[in-house]
Amino acid sequence: MPDKPDMPEQPGDTAPGKEQPRRRQARGERRIQQLLEAAASVFCTTGYTAASTNAIAREAGVSPGTLYQFFPNKEAIAVELGGRLMHDLRNTYGEALAPIDPGTSLTDAVNATVDRLTAFNTEHPVFFALMHGPDVPGGITEAHDALHSNLLGRIEGLLASLLPPGTDQAHITRTAHVSLGIYKSGLELVLSHEGAEREAYIQEIKNVLTRYLEPLVGDRLGRTAD
Amino acid sequence: MPDKPDMPEQPGDTAPGKEQPRRRQARGERRIQQLLEAAASVFCTTGYTAASTNAIAREAGVSPGTLYQFFPNKEAIAVELGGRLMHDLRNTYGEALAPIDPGTSLTDAVNATVDRLTAFNTEHPVFFALMHGPDVPGGITEAHDALHSNLLGRIEGLLASLLPPGTDQAHITRTAHVSLGIYKSGLELVLSHEGAEREAYIQEIKNVLTRYLEPLVGDRLGRTAD
Amino acid sequence: MPDKPDMPEQPGDTAPGKEQPRRRQARGERRIQQLLEAAASVFCTTGYTAASTNAIAREAGVSPGTLYQFFPNKEAIAVELGGRLMHDLRNTYGEALAPIDPGTSLTDAVNATVDRLTAFNTEHPVFFALMHGPDVPGGITEAHDALHSNLLGRIEGLLASLLPPGTDQAHITRTAHVSLGIYKSGLELVLSHEGAEREAYIQEIKNVLTRYLEPLVGDRLGRTAD
Amino acid sequence: MPDKPDMPEQPGDTAPGKEQPRRRQARGERRIQQLLEAAASVFCTTGYTAASTNAIAREAGVSPGTLYQFFPNKEAIAVELGGRLMHDLRNTYGEALAPIDPGTSLTDAVNATVDRLTAFNTEHPVFFALMHGPDVPGGITEAHDALHSNLLGRIEGLLASLLPPGTDQAHITRTAHVSLGIYKSGLELVLSHEGAEREAYIQEIKNVLTRYLEPLVGDRLGRTAD
DNA sequence: GATGAATGAGGATTCATTCAT
DNA sequence: TATGAATGAATCCTCATTCAT
């Protein structure tokens, strides 16, 4: 997506055996990586709205022109960054948001999910910035929306495996929205505290979610012996 | 031309006496009102960060200079707006966040509080924008902070009257933070839906809060007969 | 001069026995005094160019409108201020720049003049600000020019009494320009130092002027016994 | 359109080698030159304080943004301009302010120095504007200060070679301040006159300085045969 | 690909001045 | 007179984006 193909590939470029094109793509990929890391850093420190493409380019150590060779605009950077983060979340934290094994208690499910998500978010603070998006209410926030709906979809899947079969889809969706909201607002508190207080807030997120979902999960064990 | 006399002077104003110097202030006060309304509108549509003082002035139908006769900068507008909003909240919605009568069940307390807050927020959408504050993480968000801590304080008071006496203050504070977070994230969902769906989300906020607080309130009736 | 007569005096105003008009003028004079003092203060702290009429009004404790009731613009304030300062210089420091008695030695004449001027300038720091005027080279600086030519004229008179009769007028003018320049640049040094160093600079001004003028004064005693 | 190629690229520039990255800088350097010339012109006509960056950009035929690509603010422009001017003064007018050969008479030394400085200042009128600095008394006048102290240092060196060995350093410094003051105020007169009158003022500066310094230089020949 | 110069509209803010009251 | 609200052009400066090299 970031690769604007407005400059047609030279014919023969794709021929096997020629490293030229591959090396180029490799260089491009490195640049993209650089830029995304820089963007992450800038988004974290200045917020998305206030982040300037020039600042991102500077942080990445490249010229503004170079940035625009890979991304058509600021939005696109956020979109790509969000996409890669989601990919990471899937790969690295594997089942963080995967459907829950039927035998698992709600408490365990919530605890594991929250722990994994929190770990991920602590390691990738941009995620939070992107999740909250710009402060514009009805925003034109492609990046944020993509991330949000992706997360939402995964949470819906997770809930579908948790709630009794036959639960109304609208209800699942609503519950997913609420759960994600709880997590996001909790995360804000977690990230703004440290040490024991942070741990306490993590526990609070778990409490809120468990208690919220408990009446909904039916006959599943509400709580494993702990 | 800039003097829109939409709010007609009270007759008899020119009567001799000490009102003389007030008249100017009356016009000024009207302008401030106009400007705050314009700011509210702009904050709602473009978000706080992206809102420009010029846009606010334009929306208010005055020149940039006029705006700066009353407010030294954007922050100050937000601060004043927040202040007035809090004042309204206290006055109009009376006990919206007042301590809870001991006889009230948790459910009733939560329901009433959420209903009142939601009504207020629906009527004053800016409140939401200000509550969420700007994008920027470490921002110099005087306005948002003031609003936030004000709300927080009131919620702490409310919780103090709800939780069993002797509850750890740190715990109260944490609970207040979490509760406010829940409300804020819930409000976002409420404001982005309409009709039955909106009502359903309001109910969800109530559910989440009640279930979250239930184990904390001790011997108070968890639930009134309903 | 500051009294814009665009509003014709009421007939009969000047009739004797009526305090009304006199009191008004008295009040006006007080206002003007206030404003000029405020202007002096602001000119000293921010410089003429950067001084704003609003700041002057604020410093004077009146509204901008009031200021413009007495002065048509910033220039006029400076002009009036300069005029009054020159008047003070004439009155208070009497013969500071008066022609020199034929019997006086050059040294005495220079010393006395520099001492008096310096005392005056130390007491009225605005004078310096006005003398230097805005940094615009070919400036439209009515105020500064008025002050400057006034001073110049007096210095020319002084020199005429000092130089041998029949000295070329052009030469006198040139010498006056140079002498005033020397004094101004010396004053800058004087005002930017204190205590002994300041005194040393005052002495330097005297030295420079005495030595510069010595060859020009002809048979007058170059130096009195001291 | 903004790219005025008034200074043609040297042919052969595109030859393979290490000049590649320089080309951009060449264009930039040209722009900087343009901007500094424009700034010089604007400083001369409107004075430093009243000069606006937009006016400078306009005069240079570029957009405001371009100016800010090379200079962070007005001060920086003045600083750079002053720096280049001092550099020119050193290079082009060689020993204008270099220590004086012991055999030279005071008159010759003063005459030569004033002649060179005056020639330089006539050719670079901005120098005067920068030397006088802004209006504002306690200003943040980095540019002016740099220039001033640079000049002062050179004059001190010059005087050290002129005054008898063992002269008090404080005295040298004071004498340098005074001499520079004399020159500056004289220059103002020189620049505001033309032809014979200008020449006459130049002579006056020489007279003032010679007579001022004469008693200080000890046994050095006060005056060469002329 | 990469650079960095260039743009120009738009941001916040100020200021001399005018005007209704 | 006095007030203070109002103006609007002008200030400095930023930023997303484009373009020649």
PDB file of all heavy atoms in Angstrom, chain C residues 77-93:
ATOM      1  N   ILE C  77       2.125  61.697  20.776  1.00  0.00           N
ATOM      2  CA  ILE C  77       2.506  61.542  22.181  1.00  0.00           C
ATOM      3  C   ILE C  77       3.990  61.838  22.339  1.00  0.00           C
ATOM      4  O   ILE C  77       4.411  62.596  23.218  1.00  0.00           O
ATOM      5  CB  ILE C  77       2.196  60.109  22.675  1.00  0.00           C
ATOM      6  CG1 ILE C  77       0.713  59.804  22.489  1.00  0.00           C
ATOM      7  CG2 ILE C  77       2.588  59.953  24.127  1.00  0.00           C
ATOM      8  CD1 ILE C  77       0.355  58.383  22.859  1.00  0.00           C
ATOM      9  N   ALA C  78       4.757  61.253  21.451  1.00  0.00           N
ATOM     10  CA  ALA C  78       6.201  61.459  21.533  1.00  0.00           C
ATOM     11  C   ALA C  78       6.545  62.927  21.313  1.00  0.00           C
ATOM     12  O   ALA C  78       7.405  63.489  22.004  1.00  0.00           O
ATOM     13  CB  ALA C  78       6.901  60.587  20.498  1.00  0.00           C
ATOM     14  N   VAL C  79       5.861  63.536  20.367  1.00  0.00           N
ATOM     15  CA  VAL C  79       6.135  64.947  20.091  1.00  0.00           C
ATOM     16  C   VAL C  79       5.865  65.790  21.329  1.00  0.00           C
ATOM     17  O   VAL C  79       6.707  66.578  21.768  1.00  0.00           O
ATOM     18  CB  VAL C  79       5.267  65.444  18.916  1.00  0.00           C
ATOM     19  CG1 VAL C  79       5.343  66.961  18.818  1.00  0.00           C
ATOM     20  CG2 VAL C  79       5.703  64.805  17.610  1.00  0.00           C
ATOM     21  N   GLU C  80       4.671  65.598  21.902  1.00  0.00           N
ATOM     22  CA  GLU C  80       4.323  66.383  23.078  1.00  0.00           C
ATOM     23  C   GLU C  80       5.299  66.113  24.219  1.00  0.00           C
ATOM     24  O   GLU C  80       5.756  67.025  24.906  1.00  0.00           O
ATOM     25  CB  GLU C  80       2.902  66.057  23.509  1.00  0.00           C
ATOM     26  CG  GLU C  80       2.431  66.779  24.748  1.00  0.00           C
ATOM     27  CD  GLU C  80       2.311  68.297  24.548  1.00  0.00           C
ATOM     28  OE1 GLU C  80       2.303  68.720  23.379  1.00  0.00           O
ATOM     29  OE2 GLU C  80       2.246  69.035  25.545  1.00  0.00           O
ATOM     30  N   LEU C  81       5.627  64.855  24.392  1.00  0.00           N
ATOM     31  CA  LEU C  81       6.554  64.484  25.461  1.00  0.00           C
ATOM     32  C   LEU C  81       7.895  65.181  25.254  1.00  0.00           C
ATOM     33  O   LEU C  81       8.463  65.774  26.187  1.00  0.00           O
ATOM     34  CB  LEU C  81       6.730  62.960  25.465  1.00  0.00           C
ATOM     35  CG  LEU C  81       7.491  62.340  26.618  1.00  0.00           C
ATOM     36  CD1 LEU C  81       6.924  62.775  27.952  1.00  0.00           C
ATOM     37  CD2 LEU C  81       7.462  60.812  26.506  1.00  0.00           C
ATOM     38  N   GLY C  82       8.369  65.115  24.024  1.00  0.00           N
ATOM     39  CA  GLY C  82       9.635  65.775  23.717  1.00  0.00           C
ATOM     40  C   GLY C  82       9.553  67.275  23.972  1.00  0.00           C
ATOM     41  O   GLY C  82      10.460  67.866  24.556  1.00  0.00           O
ATOM     42  N   GLY C  83       8.442  67.858  23.553  1.00  0.00           N
ATOM     43  CA  GLY C  83       8.267  69.299  23.747  1.00  0.00           C
ATOM     44  C   GLY C  83       8.341  69.670  25.214  1.00  0.00           C
ATOM     45  O   GLY C  83       9.054  70.597  25.617  1.00  0.00           O
ATOM     46  N   ARG C  84       7.625  68.902  26.025  1.00  0.00           N
ATOM     47  CA  ARG C  84       7.631  69.217  27.451  1.00  0.00           C
ATOM     48  C   ARG C  84       9.006  69.007  28.071  1.00  0.00           C
ATOM     49  O   ARG C  84       9.416  69.740  28.979  1.00  0.00           O
ATOM     50  CB  ARG C  84       6.590  68.353  28.170  1.00  0.00           C
ATOM     51  CG  ARG C  84       5.190  68.611  27.664  1.00  0.00           C
ATOM     52  CD  ARG C  84       4.146  68.298  28.692  1.00  0.00           C
ATOM     53  NE  ARG C  84       2.837  68.690  28.176  1.00  0.00           N
ATOM     54  CZ  ARG C  84       1.757  68.763  28.939  1.00  0.00           C
ATOM     55  NH1 ARG C  84       1.834  68.459  30.220  1.00  0.00           N
ATOM     56  NH2 ARG C  84       0.607  69.132  28.410  1.00  0.00           N
ATOM     57  N   LEU C  85       9.667  67.988  27.575  1.00  0.00           N
ATOM     58  CA  LEU C  85      10.999  67.745  28.122  1.00  0.00           C
ATOM     59  C   LEU C  85      11.925  68.913  27.795  1.00  0.00           C
ATOM     60  O   LEU C  85      12.667  69.393  28.657  1.00  0.00           O
ATOM     61  CB  LEU C  85      11.567  66.448  27.554  1.00  0.00           C
ATOM     62  CG  LEU C  85      11.051  65.185  28.247  1.00  0.00           C
ATOM     63  CD1 LEU C  85      11.463  63.958  27.471  1.00  0.00           C
ATOM     64  CD2 LEU C  85      11.566  65.108  29.680  1.00  0.00           C
ATOM     65  N   MET C  86      11.849  69.382  26.563  1.00  0.00           N
ATOM     66  CA  MET C  86      12.671  70.534  26.194  1.00  0.00           C
ATOM     67  C   MET C  86      12.318  71.740  27.057  1.00  0.00           C
ATOM     68  O   MET C  86      13.189  72.479  27.504  1.00  0.00           O
ATOM     69  CB  MET C  86      12.451  70.880  24.710  1.00  0.00           C
ATOM     70  CG  MET C  86      13.220  70.021  23.736  1.00  0.00           C
ATOM     71  SD  MET C  86      14.999  69.938  24.097  1.00  0.00           S
ATOM     72  CE  MET C  86      15.478  71.653  23.836  1.00  0.00           C
ATOM     73  N   HIS C  87      11.034  71.875  27.287  1.00  0.00           N
ATOM     74  CA  HIS C  87      10.584  72.980  28.128  1.00  0.00           C
ATOM     75  C   HIS C  87      11.164  72.865  29.536  1.00  0.00           C
ATOM     76  O   HIS C  87      11.691  73.821  30.102  1.00  0.00           O
ATOM     77  CB  HIS C  87       9.046  72.972  28.177  1.00  0.00           C
ATOM     78  CG  HIS C  87       8.459  74.135  28.891  1.00  0.00           C
ATOM     79  ND1 HIS C  87       7.983  74.043  30.172  1.00  0.00           N
ATOM     80  CD2 HIS C  87       8.287  75.426  28.516  1.00  0.00           C
ATOM     81  CE1 HIS C  87       7.540  75.219  30.550  1.00  0.00           C
ATOM     82  NE2 HIS C  87       7.705  76.089  29.569  1.00  0.00           N
ATOM     83  N   ASP C  88      11.087  71.657  30.056  1.00  0.00           N
ATOM     84  CA  ASP C  88      11.684  71.407  31.369  1.00  0.00           C
ATOM     85  C   ASP C  88      13.168  71.721  31.362  1.00  0.00           C
ATOM     86  O   ASP C  88      13.697  72.327  32.289  1.00  0.00           O
ATOM     87  CB  ASP C  88      11.512  69.936  31.756  1.00  0.00           C
ATOM     88  CG  ASP C  88      10.223  69.717  32.509  1.00  0.00           C
ATOM     89  OD1 ASP C  88       9.285  70.508  32.313  1.00  0.00           O
ATOM     90  OD2 ASP C  88      10.167  68.747  33.288  1.00  0.00           O
ATOM     91  N   LEU C  89      13.793  71.268  30.315  1.00  0.00           N
ATOM     92  CA  LEU C  89      15.246  71.468  30.223  1.00  0.00           C
ATOM     93  C   LEU C  89      15.560  72.965  30.302  1.00  0.00           C
ATOM     94  O   LEU C  89      16.474  73.392  31.004  1.00  0.00           O
ATOM     95  CB  LEU C  89      15.756  70.886  28.904  1.00  0.00           C
ATOM     96  CG  LEU C  89      17.260  71.019  28.641  1.00  0.00           C
ATOM     97  CD1 LEU C  89      18.068  70.379  29.754  1.00  0.00           C
ATOM     98  CD2 LEU C  89      17.632  70.412  27.308  1.00  0.00           C
ATOM     99  N   ARG C  90      14.787  73.722  29.566  1.00  0.00           N
ATOM    100  CA  ARG C  90      14.997  75.168  29.576  1.00  0.00           C
ATOM    101  C   ARG C  90      14.733  75.745  30.962  1.00  0.00           C
ATOM    102  O   ARG C  90      15.512  76.527  31.484  1.00  0.00           O
ATOM    103  CB  ARG C  90      14.047  75.844  28.568  1.00  0.00           C
ATOM    104  CG  ARG C  90      14.681  76.111  27.210  1.00  0.00           C
ATOM    105  CD  ARG C  90      13.824  77.047  26.399  1.00  0.00           C
ATOM    106  NE  ARG C  90      12.495  76.494  26.120  1.00  0.00           N
ATOM    107  CZ  ARG C  90      12.225  75.728  25.080  1.00  0.00           C
ATOM    108  NH1 ARG C  90      13.161  75.435  24.213  1.00  0.00           N
ATOM    109  NH2 ARG C  90      11.020  75.264  24.892  1.00  0.00           N
ATOM    110  N   ASN C  91      13.606  75.341  31.520  1.00  0.00           N
ATOM    111  CA  ASN C  91      13.207  75.961  32.780  1.00  0.00           C
ATOM    112  C   ASN C  91      14.028  75.486  33.973  1.00  0.00           C
ATOM    113  O   ASN C  91      14.570  76.267  34.735  1.00  0.00           O
ATOM    114  CB  ASN C  91      11.733  75.666  33.062  1.00  0.00           C
ATOM    115  CG  ASN C  91      10.845  76.609  32.301  1.00  0.00           C
ATOM    116  OD1 ASN C  91      11.239  77.085  31.231  1.00  0.00           O
ATOM    117  ND2 ASN C  91       9.679  76.911  32.846  1.00  0.00           N
ATOM    118  N   THR C  92      14.048  74.190  34.125  1.00  0.00           N
ATOM    119  CA  THR C  92      14.660  73.662  35.338  1.00  0.00           C
ATOM    120  C   THR C  92      16.178  73.774  35.317  1.00  0.00           C
ATOM    121  O   THR C  92      16.807  74.129  36.294  1.00  0.00           O
ATOM    122  CB  THR C  92      14.269  72.191  35.516  1.00  0.00           C
ATOM    123  OG1 THR C  92      12.895  72.068  35.221  1.00  0.00           O
ATOM    124  CG2 THR C  92      14.547  71.739  36.930  1.00  0.00           C
ATOM    125  N   TYR C  93      16.737  73.448  34.158  1.00  0.00           N
ATOM    126  CA  TYR C  93      18.192  73.447  34.096  1.00  0.00           C
ATOM    127  C   TYR C  93      18.679  74.728  33.458  1.00  0.00           C
ATOM    128  O   TYR C  93      19.712  74.775  32.805  1.00  0.00           O
ATOM    129  CB  TYR C  93      18.683  72.209  33.374  1.00  0.00           C
ATOM    130  CG  TYR C  93      18.472  71.009  34.236  1.00  0.00           C
ATOM    131  CD1 TYR C  93      17.221  70.433  34.379  1.00  0.00           C
ATOM    132  CD2 TYR C  93      19.528  70.488  34.980  1.00  0.00           C
ATOM    133  CE1 TYR C  93      17.012  69.355  35.202  1.00  0.00           C
ATOM    134  CE2 TYR C  93      19.333  69.405  35.803  1.00  0.00           C
ATOM    135  CZ  TYR C  93      18.086  68.845  35.919  1.00  0.00           C
ATOM    136  OH  TYR C  93      17.891  67.786  36.741  1.00  0.00           O
TER     137      TYR C  93
END
